[in-house]
Amino acid sequence: MDFLATPEIWHKLQEHFGVASRPLTDDDFYDPAWETILQHFDVDCRVISYDQFCAPPASVLDAGAKVDWWNALSRSTPNRMWRQELPDGASKDIWGHVIRVVNNPTGAYEEFAVWPLAQAASVEDLKRYPWPEPDWWDFSALPKLIAQLDAKGPFHLRFRIGSVFELAWQLRGMQEMLMDLVNQPEIPQYIMERLTDVYVENTRRVLELAGDRLDMVYFYDDVATQQNLMMSARMWRRLIKPLHARIIGVAKQHNIPVMYHCDGAIYPLIGELIEMGVDVLNPVQADAAGMEPQRLKEEFGDKLSFHGGIDIIKTLPKGTPAQVQAEVKERIRVLGNDGGYVLASSHHIQSDTPLANVFAMYDLAIR
Amino acid sequence: MADFEAVLDALYNAVLDGNAPAAKKLTQELIDGGAAVETILYDAMIPGMNEVGRLFEQGEYFVPEMLVSANAMKGGMELLQPLLELSDVKPIAKVVMGTVRGDVHDIGKNLAIMMMKGAGFQVIDLGVNVPPEKFIEAASDGAAIVGMSALLTTTMPNMKVTIDAFTAAGLRDRVKIIVGGAPVTEEFAIEIGADGYGANANQAVTVAKTLLGVPV
């Protein structure tokens, strides 16, 4: 069972359980208060993420910026996440995205304010970008972190690395990037290769250090919409698949299973993902085209496990606790038939979800 | 009158293939040769984009191909625009589009706008984080359709808030309101009292045309 939520939900749960965050220091790799909440729900999956270990040279910081580990709104787990806070209130991640906060009726969301590679007209232009190097990460504290988690219980530990296509378009701008895929594929290709080089080397170092204790490698990359793939399967095969295969390859060298996340209607690629070595698919959005749990389980259940499935669009924010429990039971019945299912929401539980529904979902009695 | 058929055909294909330089060159060639604005628009560009929409629905084209086609048409349209303004060629209708308040996601909305323009609509793009009063103000100037987009479940309720604001302002009957965005469904559209729902950019066009009684 796994738990992922936006900070608003974490904060409400902290209040509910009466667990305040103590002041956190640079030695903390996760917020122990949030960790307590996972224990309340009996969650047995833990994520160790590459962005807990960023250690870039000081020259990477903008003038007047300071490192922040805790304020990123995209934190969905207890883990810290590296950012630099800029003097004007925006922040910047390790890749150079400038991020601003936008408020909505029940919470807030982060948005990219600048597309740092939008103006690049050639691969030569791209080469001039200050690309992060594998040495901008320092994993030496990893064994200590693992020991801390192991002391709390027998957890399933997965190492999380970043995305290829998604991060690339977040640097380039989505429209620009999608058009590049047709008109000048060498541009997205170069960006995606630079990212993959870092992921592959990070993962290699992490698995060399702690491969005997890590249970899974996890990476994410959204290449689908609710209705279909974002690009043709042919284009995906040419430009994305080889890079994903490199990441999967590192895990497989250490005989470690791989979980891959892609929102939406990924059905047309599932067969190939299995061939590439993907063992677990997240998030199973049952309302996306072709993603009916029954069909997925029947067609791929002997080779693929599933993670996610509880709908964050309708059931969790708008359903009753009884409807949430009915969906949980249904997913366990279908996806969990003969095992192979990790119960989780289909994305981070959003700020508009009533706590009663969160409790309904994690009610041990119904499992 | 000169026979433009071969050049129109080439322009149609340039739009279909998303070849922006060719689309520009051929549009200029047609203008210079004295082809009517209407002919260039209705016998080459719009049919090209219609075919793009059809191939998208069939799963042969995807978002990248759709984007480069829309971009190719845009290049041609920029050359055509000054002439269009002097002509008596009217757009199908005026459409006001934006992402609702609290939401700054614009990829889907922009794609829908491109397809609407490609189909011959005049589109006013209100951008993102658009409050109800801004939709109303923009729509008061002769718009037939209002299109709203949202990506977050937390901002979807602002679609209803905006529809209610149209009702309160006494303008609800004057416009057709269509909605779209990843978490938005047909069921939700009906529930909030929208007139139509587009599951993707191409369906936004189909729905808008259907609501106006224009042949799809």
Side-chain angles (χ1 to χ4, degrees), chain B residues 26-96:
Chain B
L26 293 161
T27 306
Q28 193 60 54
E29 203 175 305
L30 286 161
I31 293 171
D32 294 346
V37 176
E38 204 171 348
T39 308
I40 302 174
L41 199 56
Y42 287 100
D43 291 347
M45 287 185 180
I46 291 177
M49 283 309 287
N50 281 345
E51 180 62 7
V52 169
R54 197 186 66 81
L55 292 173
F56 180 80
E57 288 298 334
Q58 279 198 343
E60 198 164 318
Y61 269 25
F62 289 76
V63 179
E65 291 81 9
M66 202 176 191
L67 275 169
V68 291
S69 284
N71 188 51
M73 169 153 180
K74 194 174 141 214
M77 278 304 286
E78 277 161 16
L79 299 173
L80 220 51
Q81 199 58 44
L83 301 169
L84 205 55
E85 277 160 24
L86 296 173
S87 76
D88 54 4
V89 179
K90 294 273 173 289
I92 298 180
K94 185 170 162 179
V95 181
V96 167

Side-chain angles (χ1 to χ4, degrees), chain B residues 150-166:
Chain B
L151 182 75
L152 304 174
T153 55
T154 50
T155 57
M156 275 164 64
N158 283 336
M159 291 182 158
K160 183 172 189 315
V161 172
T162 308
I163 292 177
D164 292 346
F166 270 92

